[in-house]
Amino acid sequence: MRNTGERIVQNALMLVAFSALASLLLIAVFIFKEGLPFLLRTGLRDFLLSSDWRPQEGHFGIYPMIVSSLWVTFGAMLVGAPLGIACAIFLNEFVPKSVMRVTKPTIELLAGIPSVVYGFIGVIVVAPLIRSHLGGPGLSVLCAAVILGIMILPTVISISVDAIGSVPNSYREGALALGATRWQSVHMVVLKAARSGIVAGVILGMGRAIGETMAVIMVAGNSVKIPHSALDSVRTLTANIALEMGYATGQHRQALFATGIVLFVFIMILNSLAMAAMKKSVK
Amino acid sequence: MTAAVDIAELDLFYGAFHALKRVNLAIEPRKITALIGPSGCGKSTLLRVLNRMNDLIPGCRIAGTVRLEGRDIYAPNVDVCALRKKVGMVFQRPNPFPLSIRDNVTFGLRVAGLSDSQALDAMAEKSLKAAWLWEQVRDKLDSLATALPLDQQQRLCVARLLAVEPEVILMDEPCSALDPISTAKIEELMLALCEHYTIVIVTHNMQQAARISDSSAYMLLGEMVEFGETPQVFENPKDKRTEDYITGRFG
Ligand SMILES: Nc1ncnc2c1ncn2[C@@H]1O[C@H](COP(=O)(O)OP(=O)(O)OP(=O)(O)O)[C@@H](O)[C@H]1O
Ligand SMILES: [Mg+2]
């Protein structure tokens, strides 16, 4: 009797687990099925390297969106990585453990704030500041970089904190016993030992930044063009898909799916890099 | 002869816990002094008083005086970093940094602000030779130090100390992670080093203390029970408690 019960539970769990995996797989298959034929027909070069995005006339060049995505992501890293790493160092090395026990979960909670709220803050606070102090439309690469930089903080901080926290204390003691100051022991030994973990955190943050959609649509301005300065308004790959999917048909629709494939590849590459870095740090 | 390190009426508290009680100890220069005693009696604590590593432990307080060559190392104007260069420490588990062998040896010098790579390399070679490690690592100075065998790691830790030219070397059970052959090598190295350096070693190995030390201090529950020349402490202990411990450990 007991055995039958166990078997039912086991099979049910297996079914659930497989359906979760299967749905992920299906999504991937679906994107590729819709986008790949289009990609093959248009040719990678025309699709990726042409700046002509006029879907109504049948021109599908996503080069401006790729450049914009890269700039926005790069900017977000410039904002988020130093802040996040500095914060992780501070929490690990310069405050009592009890502070850390409160602060770290709080920061991780920030990851749960819906991205539309970040976008809202970008529109209400950051964009007007940029417009009045630096000029331009306000909704811009810079605004998106600042907002995304803040959004990736939880990822960068929590992974870096773990990486730095797992550096054995004997390294710190060894450095201090040789006459190093606290900061010397941190940057000459601890950060070197935690390097791959920190890199993994930054790369994962990058993946989040490149994939973020809602907040970016709200703060980047969405004009399809190659930005010439950080104050220009831009449209990222993700924003392009979200903005046009609602009314796209035929070729246009397929082009958006193909854009999805490009994003998919970007993120896969980033995640594999992060995984490789993590593996190195475990050793 | 004046003592290299002079500890007078030292009390140490971890919060409310009285870990060292009225300890007096005069450590002679260029000799090996062994600290022995059962687990938890305060040997490591006493050792870490000498380079102020206990400063890092929250709630740790001390009273009494500790003098290095006549100067109070707990005086308010003492530069702790400079003190730790003069009083170096080798830990129980070899703890080379996850850097290259070269960067390990030159660490103390770089920390002190030296950046001339020729001078650094020269010091690295000199220190590695003094720690009897040069022959083994001369061809792989740029490889990772943590990949060395344990005994070489421990000698690398000695080498990286020697590079900053300390006066006193503290060793907290430096051989407990090593096999007997590596232990013998480290012991031999200590005997050679004590021509130039004052060495204080904590050990649980009575034979080791008897073999290499000039003076021995027996501690029990935070008290300094007996301190004297090693042959006297081992063969002719004045205190009954020392005798019990030593016969127990040898027997
Ligand atoms: N950071 C600390 N906080 C509180 N108590 C401590 C701390 N470090 C050591 N103690 C206590 O102080 C006493 C002496 O510790 P110490 O490490 O100096 O002993 P030891 O003689 O080196 O022992 P062992 O031979 O096991 O290394 C022990 O009772 C220990 O529990
Ligand atoms: Mg100890």
Side-chain angles (χ1 to χ4, degrees):
Chain A
M1 206 47 225
R2 154 102 46 89
N3 256 340
T4 341
E6 291 246 327
R7 251 212 316 279
I8 292 175
V9 171
Q10 202 178 338
N11 287 336
L13 282 178
M14 200 161 79
L15 198 71
V16 174
F18 269 111
S19 56
L21 277 179
S23 63
L24 283 178
L25 204 68
L26 273 181
I27 291 176
V29 168
F30 186 66
I31 297 175
F32 276 87
K33 192 189 124 259
E34 295 285 313
L36 211 53
F38 173 85
L39 260 187
L40 294 177
R41 212 169 337 114
T42 320
L44 262 187
R45 232 176 113 237
D46 279 345
F47 185 57
L48 296 181
L49 298 181
S50 148
S51 304
D52 197 2
W53 178 263
R54 275 176 300 155
Q56 278 78 13
E57 281 109 275
H59 294 294
F60 303 101
I62 59 167
Y63 185 64
M65 275 78 101
I66 293 182
V67 173
S68 303
S69 267
L70 291 179
W71 273 116
V72 166
T73 306
F74 177 70
M77 294 334 286
L78 279 189
V79 174
L83 266 182
I85 295 171
C87 185
I89 294 172
F90 180 71
L91 285 179
N92 261 307
E93 305 290 328
F94 296 99
V95 295
K97 283 272 170 292
S98 53
V99 176
M100 165 94 132
R101 270 197 291 276
V102 181
T103 322
K104 197 182 164 227
T106 314
I107 289 170
E108 280 165 0
L109 218 59
L110 289 182
I113 297 180
S115 54
V116 68
V117 174
Y118 284 101
F120 187 63
I121 290 174
V123 172
I124 300 296
V125 182
V126 184
L129 275 178
I130 294 174
R131 198 181 314 126
S132 55
H133 291 280
L134 300 171
L139 300 174
S140 57
V141 175
L142 181 61
C143 189
V146 170
I147 291 300
L148 283 179
I150 295 170
M151 285 181 74
I152 62 169
L153 280 180
T155 311
V156 178
I157 293 176
S158 100
I159 295 177
S160 304
V161 159
D162 291 343
I164 296 173
S166 68
V167 173
N169 235 338
S170 62
Y171 291 162
R172 298 182 181 86
E173 286 200 324
L176 295 174
L178 283 167
T181 60
R182 202 72 193 234
W183 171 238
Q184 282 173 326
S185 89
V186 170
H187 83 96
M188 291 171 76
V189 179
V190 176
L191 287 188
K192 293 237 163 88
R195 187 172 38 198
S196 31
I198 294 175
V199 168
V202 170
I203 295 176
L204 285 179
M206 215 154 143
R208 270 211 72 185
I210 213 168
E212 174 54 40
T213 310
M214 181 42 95
V216 173
I217 291 181
M218 293 172 75
V219 300
N222 303 320
S223 37
V224 183
K225 63 175 188 214
I226 296 174
H228 294 293
S229 89
L231 301 176
D232 281 356
S233 132
V234 292
R235 180 186 295 192
T236 63
L237 292 167
T238 50
N240 192 43
I241 299 175
L243 289 168
E244 301 193 358
M245 196 48 109
Y247 61 85
T249 52
Q251 283 246 51
H252 185 192
R253 201 174 106 98
Q254 292 180 340
L256 295 182
F257 273 104
T259 312
I261 295 182
V262 173
L263 264 175
F264 190 90
V265 170
F266 268 143
I267 290 180
M268 279 303 158
I269 292 174
L270 286 181
N271 278 6
S272 335
L273 286 179
M275 234 127 75
M278 294 247 221
K279 216 187 248 147
K280 221 171 113 206
S281 72
V282 168
K283 248 195 312 192
Chain B
M1 190 154 33
T2 59
V5 180
D6 196 355
I7 301 171
E9 300 291 307
L10 178 76
D11 282 292
L12 183 143
F13 300 85
Y14 289 121
F17 177 68
H18 200 169
L20 294 176
K21 298 168 191 159
R22 318 214 103 209
V23 169
N24 289 290
L25 186 64
I27 295 167
E28 285 181 50
R30 296 193 191 82
K31 289 273 163 61
I32 300 181
T33 303
L35 300 180
I36 58 175
S39 235
C41 68
K43 306 179 296 292
S44 300
T45 302
L46 182 58
L47 207 62
R48 292 161 61 96
V49 163
L50 303 182
N51 64 347
R52 291 189 59 170
M53 286 300 273
N54 286 327
D55 289 13
L56 304 172
I57 297 172
C60 175
R61 287 175 299 122
I62 77 155
T65 54
V66 182
R67 289 200 166 79
L68 177 69
E69 290 164 337
R71 260 186 299 246
D72 184 355
I73 62 171
Y74 281 88
N77 57 350
V78 167
D79 174 356
V80 178
C81 291
L83 168 74
R84 288 182 185 149
K85 279 174 197 134
K86 270 198 236 163
V87 184
M89 186 161 213
V90 177
F91 296 81
Q92 182 166 359
R93 281 208 67 80
N95 61 345
F97 306 126
L99 309 172
S100 70
I101 294 173
R102 187 198 312 276
D103 286 348
N104 264 278
V105 184
T106 57
F107 185 85
L109 298 168
R110 288 184 290 127
V111 154
L114 194 68
S115 59
D116 174 52
S117 70
Q118 265 176 0
L120 286 175
D121 282 351
M123 273 312 278
E125 178 174 344
K126 190 173 153 213
S127 318
L128 285 168
K129 279 180 174 157
W132 302 348
L133 197 56
W134 178 246
E135 290 307 321
Q136 290 91 321
V137 303
R138 58 185 304 172
D139 299 323
K140 48 176 179 180
L141 288 177
D142 289 310
S143 58
L144 203 60
T146 40
L148 290 172
L150 268 189
D151 68 310
Q152 293 188 16
Q153 288 189 17
Q154 195 62 306
R155 274 183 285 147
L156 179 62
C157 293
V158 174
R160 115 190 138 176
L161 267 190
L162 299 182
V164 293
E165 303 184 316
E167 284 153 27
V168 181
I169 299 179
L170 311 173
M171 300 180 135
D172 196 347
E173 303 182 45
C175 302
S176 65
L178 306 181
D179 63 57
I181 294 174
S182 321
T183 301
K185 263 188 268 175
I186 299 272
E187 286 182 11
E188 222 182 308
L189 176 61
M190 281 194 270
L191 288 172
L193 290 177
C194 88
E195 279 186 38
H196 306 284
Y197 305 94
T198 305
I199 298 180
V200 186
I201 175 179
V202 168
T203 178
H204 274 283
N205 181 332
M206 292 302 109
Q207 283 85 353
Q208 182 173 60
R211 269 194 306 267
I212 61 168
S213 68
D214 300 289
S215 320
S216 295
Y218 173 62
M219 298 179 65
L220 186 60
L221 297 173
E223 276 179 72
M224 183 62 66
V225 173
E226 180 150 359
F227 176 59
E229 309 246 310
T230 299
Q232 176 257 308
V233 173
F234 277 78
E235 280 147 34
N236 243 326
K238 290 188 196 116
D239 197 293
K240 179 77 173 59
R241 291 170 293 175
T242 316
E243 191 181 338
D244 291 347
Y245 182 71
I246 284 170
T247 48
R249 297 287 297 203
F250 265 118

